[in-house]
Amino acid sequence: MAEVTDGGPGGWSGVARTAQRYQGVLSLVLLLVFAYAFEPLFFTPNNLRNVLNQVAIPGVLAVGMTFVILTGGIDLSAGSLLGLLNCIAATWMRDGMSLEATGAYILVLGLGVGALSGLTIGVTRMQPFVVTLAAMVSLRGIAYVYTDSKNISGIGDGLAPLQQTQAALPVPAWILITVTGLAALILARTVFGRNVYAIGGNEEASRLAGVAVTRTRMGAYAINGFCVAVAALLFTARGNNGDPAAGLGYELDAIAAAVVGGCALLGGVGNALGTFVGALFISSLTVLLILQNVNDKVAMGWKGLIILVAVYLQNLGRK
Amino acid sequence: MKWMIGALAALVVIGGCGSKPEGGTPTAAGEAKPLVAFAQANSQDPWRQVFDKEIQAEAAKHGDEFAYEQQSAEDDPNKQISVIDTLLVKTPKVLLVSPVKESVQQTVEKAYDAGIPVILLDRGIPGDKYTCLIGGDNVEIGRKAGEYLVERLGGKGTVLMIQGLGGASATLERAQGAMEVFKKNPGITVIEGDDCKYQRKAARDYMDTFLQSGRAFDAVYCHNDEMAIGAYLAMEAAGTPKKIIVGVDGCQKEIVQYILDGKVDATFKYPIPGPEGIRVAASLLKGEGPPADKKIVLPTEIVTKENADAYLKANPNLF
């Protein structure tokens, strides 16, 4: 993905290229410098654990979404799938199943639903927006039917291992780090990863070059579904219940994190580490705004504006 | 040109995090005033908006004794867990929580176990790890509404009950209380109407369709005022002869005006627990100990044409 820069004075375009290469890192550093200067509570161990606990769910969702966005697609059903898997996981735990069995089942379900979305998009050639919009509506409906519109509580403490702290970091943070690392490896070091970038860059050319477009797309959506399942397990542990309304709008948070992290919605540009940084940026911002006692309605406005600006900053070098 | 926009953008980021509402608490070291923090469920629906105004007004009266901060969670339990975790970083002396769902239980208990008094407002959580719960009694409100309707109908007639969001405790309890009374009066027939989600438009759509069915009825009991207004608007448009209409909440100037105009007959105030919560927090900070009753039930009051003007004067913060 060679970058084309404008032919302005050499010095500036060099800086711009560097700025773009480091994507959201720039915004994150800026934010952290501000936090360091003005919010003494931000860098306390307590709060850093708090930030890491918060970033895990949107972070894992965003890393999954990165695969989909890289192919030039989008997944609007991530929040609904999270809600459904949250209900199923809570039901299994309530009925006395082990964490291992429940976890495996949820991960397989997520993988399967994701693969099905990818297959549908690949075979019917319908737009990902439309297919996943339909999935968003149906999956939410299934969650309500599955639970009879009730919350599932009384699931015991079987999920407690997902809430503990291990080696100084909360377990959800370790899971996010692992997922991000694996995703980065898959994208950078495998043929599948290269194909994901290729079909996002130019689908027709990749097809002509012999890339199995539908299979690659299916793989990308399957990985995304798997990540949604991981996030659903973390979500279930965090609230220790099942809620058919869970995850409403989370797909948009995931897309925002990926975009702040440097993913281009047209596909072909972005990576998992960037997305991780983007998610960390948004979660840090949320926490900082609360610590600074910014009115939550005012905070929403600022968050939108800051996300817009962060993306603009990164795009300076891109043309 | 680009760098200027970039610099401007950076300023926006910094400005956004730095902006505070008036009366924001300085977090500098040496801050003497203890902090009372409130995690609100949402700040969107009319009842919550009056709630916010009243709790802030009461907190302002205690401005010399403690600093007050609040954050809302857009009705997402996962977001509320994050908000509470972040507020705890600021080590409040008293934590007020209006839970979105029972799933915030773990976080609330964490605060309570750490020795922070927790005052729950409006909705409770399972278990007894909280200092006190302050709220209204929806079953009693349902009963009062049922008794009013039976009296107005002279013990004989058909009541159409337009229901709130399915599965919500307020819906179940407001229905339960009224049904208790109706069942004791054999002359009363009840038509259980649809789930209209507490929304004016949904109630209007439902009433439009119901009127088409031609089924006879004498009174309408709506689980909130918004739906009572929606039902009235449908009947007015259809030219239906005047029926008795009763709502619940009494938190809007608009419903009081409808009552004054004789369009709606009565509403029952769903009491706002905010000010009482602040008073309990203030007495806890003075070392006066927790209230004698762990559950404080605030009384409802009926609003009819006779006392509507007085009600408006007594409740200046109505939405």
Side-chain angles (χ1 to χ4, degrees), chain B residues 36 38 43 74 81 87 99 111 121 124 129 134 148 164 185 190 202-203 209 234 250-251 270 315:
Chain B
V36 171
F38 173 39
S43 288
E74 296 160 54
I81 292 172
L87 288 175
L121 302 178
K129 285 196 173 179
I134 305 170
Y148 174 81
N185 290 274
V190 180
T209 313
C251 67
Y270 186 55
N315 296 278

Side-chain angles (χ1 to χ4, degrees), chain A residues 6 12 27 30-31 34 38-42 44 46-47 50 53-54 57-58 149-151 153 156 163 235 237-241 243 245 247-248 250 253 281 285-300 302-303 305-306 309-310 312-313 315-319, chain B residues 1-3 5-21 23-25 27-29 40 43-44 49 52 56 68-83 85-91 101-107 110 126 166-168:
Chain A
D6 59 346
W12 173 247
S27 316
L30 202 66
L31 188 76
F34 176 85
F38 296 101
E39 183 48 72
L41 289 173
F42 191 87
T44 55
N46 244 344
N47 187 55
N50 169 39
N53 257 324
Q54 291 190 25
I57 293 168
S149 302
K150 293 189 181 81
N151 288 353
S153 49
Q163 289 282 289
F235 188 100
R238 194 161 155 81
N240 214 32
N241 85 336
D243 176 2
L248 207 62
Y250 281 25
D253 294 341
F281 174 82
L285 178 61
T286 306
V287 168
L288 190 58
L289 287 167
I290 295 177
L291 288 180
Q292 288 277 303
N293 190 24
V294 177
N295 176 295
D296 46 74
K297 288 172 200 151
V298 176
M300 279 189 215
W302 278 114
K303 253 163 95 174
L305 194 59
I306 290 169
V309 166
Y312 178 79
L313 279 175
N315 288 352
L316 282 180
R318 204 183 277 159
K319 215 177 169 194
Chain B
M1 184 57 204
K2 272 180 178 173
W3 68 266
I5 299 176
L8 209 68
L11 279 176
V12 168
V13 173
I14 290 174
C17 305
S19 73
K20 287 182 183 188
T25 1
T27 44
Q40 175 66 292
S43 288
Q44 275 90 44
Q49 299 214 7
D52 280 355
Q56 282 157 13
Y68 172 79
E69 286 184 13
Q70 83 170 67
Q71 289 289 336
S72 166
E74 296 160 54
D75 264 339
D76 179 337
N78 182 43
K79 282 199 179 126
Q80 190 168 43
I81 292 172
S82 298
V83 164
D85 281 348
T86 306
L87 288 175
L88 289 179
V89 169
K90 309 182 88 165
T91 52
K101 294 238 161 91
E102 291 179 353
S103 50
V104 302
Q105 182 184 5
Q106 284 180 347
T107 304
K110 197 169 67 188

Side-chain angles (χ1 to χ4, degrees), chain B residues 30-66:
Chain B
E31 173 67 25
K33 267 193 249 171
L35 175 66
V36 171
F38 173 39
Q40 175 66 292
N42 78 61
S43 288
Q44 275 90 44
D45 72 56
W47 186 78
R48 295 272 168 191
Q49 299 214 7
V50 181
F51 187 159
D52 280 355
K53 270 195 218 163
E54 295 207 342
I55 194 170
Q56 282 157 13
E58 186 66 28
K61 289 185 201 161
H62 297 271
D64 299 334
E65 301 156 45
F66 54 79

Side-chain angles (χ1 to χ4, degrees), chain B residues 152-279:
Chain B
R152 284 288 308 270
L153 290 169
K156 197 171 171 346
T158 303
V159 179
L160 168 65
M161 180 164 73
I162 296 187
Q163 317 219 42
L165 187 65
S169 62
T171 309
L172 298 170
E173 291 164 7
R174 287 174 188 185
Q176 184 201 329
M179 290 306 287
E180 275 176 24
V181 176
F182 295 148
K183 281 196 184 119
K184 280 185 213 146
N185 290 274
I188 301 284
T189 314
V190 180
I191 300 173
E192 287 196 32
D194 273 15
D195 167 351
C196 292
K197 302 184 184 69
Y198 291 116
Q199 290 166 6
R200 183 184 302 205
K201 182 185 171 297
R204 164 141 203 198
D205 291 348
Y206 173 70
M207 199 64 188
D208 278 339
T209 313
F210 184 84
L211 291 171
Q212 293 298 318
S213 77
R215 293 174 75 179
F217 64 102
D218 307 297
V220 187
Y221 167 42
C222 300
H223 287 163
N224 80 344
D225 294 332
E226 279 286 295
M227 297 194 296
I229 293 173
Y232 169 79
L233 292 174
M235 287 191 270
E236 183 190 42
T240 313
K242 174 77 184 75
K243 313 277 183 194
I244 301 165
I245 306 178
V246 170
V248 178
D249 276 348
C251 67
Q252 291 159 281
K253 287 192 189 98
E254 192 178 359
I255 189 69
V256 181
Q257 193 57 50
Y258 268 74
I259 290 171
L260 281 169
D261 295 345
K263 295 172 176 171
V264 171
D265 294 81
T267 185
F268 291 82
K269 180 183 186 174
Y270 186 55
I272 300 223
E276 183 62 22
I278 291 291
R279 286 191 285 272

Side-chain angles (χ1 to χ4, degrees), chain A residues 58-246:
Chain A
V60 170
L61 284 176
V63 169
M65 189 68 80
T66 303
F67 282 83
V68 169
I69 291 178
L70 283 173
T71 67
I74 201 154
D75 178 16
L76 298 180
S77 67
S80 294
L81 180 57
L82 183 141
L84 175 60
L85 295 178
N86 164 237
C87 292
I88 297 174
T91 307
W92 273 49
M93 295 305 293
R94 186 197 60 194
D95 295 346
M97 304 299 279
S98 68
L99 172 56
E100 290 77 11
T102 307
Y105 181 59
I106 295 300
L107 294 176
V108 168
L109 272 183
L111 203 71
V113 173
L116 194 64
S117 292
L119 183 68
T120 310
I121 292 163
V123 170
T124 63
R125 300 283 209 101
M126 283 193 284
Q127 286 165 347
F129 189 96
V130 177
V131 172
T132 59
L133 179 69
M136 173 178 99
V137 178
S138 324
L139 291 170
R140 183 65 68 192
I142 294 171
Y144 275 108
V145 173
Y146 181 82
T147 57
D148 196 16
S149 302
K150 293 189 181 81
N151 288 353
I152 297 152
S153 49
I155 67 177
D157 55 2
L159 291 168
L162 293 179
Q163 289 282 289
Q164 285 160 359
T165 298
Q166 296 283 354
L169 291 186
V171 169
W174 284 119
I175 291 176
L176 172 60
I177 291 166
T178 311
V179 167
T180 307
L182 286 176
L185 277 178
I186 292 172
L187 284 174
R189 298 263 184 269
T190 66
V191 176
F192 167 75
R194 275 198 296 281
N195 287 347
V196 166
Y197 281 101
I199 67 173
N202 188 334
E203 184 176 332
E204 254 343 280
S206 332
R207 202 185 296 275
L208 292 173
V211 173
V213 172
T214 299
R215 219 165 56 202
T216 307
R217 185 153 277 153
M218 234 178 101
Y221 280 85
I223 289 176
N224 177 47
F226 181 85
C227 288
V228 174
V230 172
L233 288 169
L234 292 174
F235 188 100
T236 313
R238 194 161 155 81
N240 214 32
N241 85 336
D243 176 2

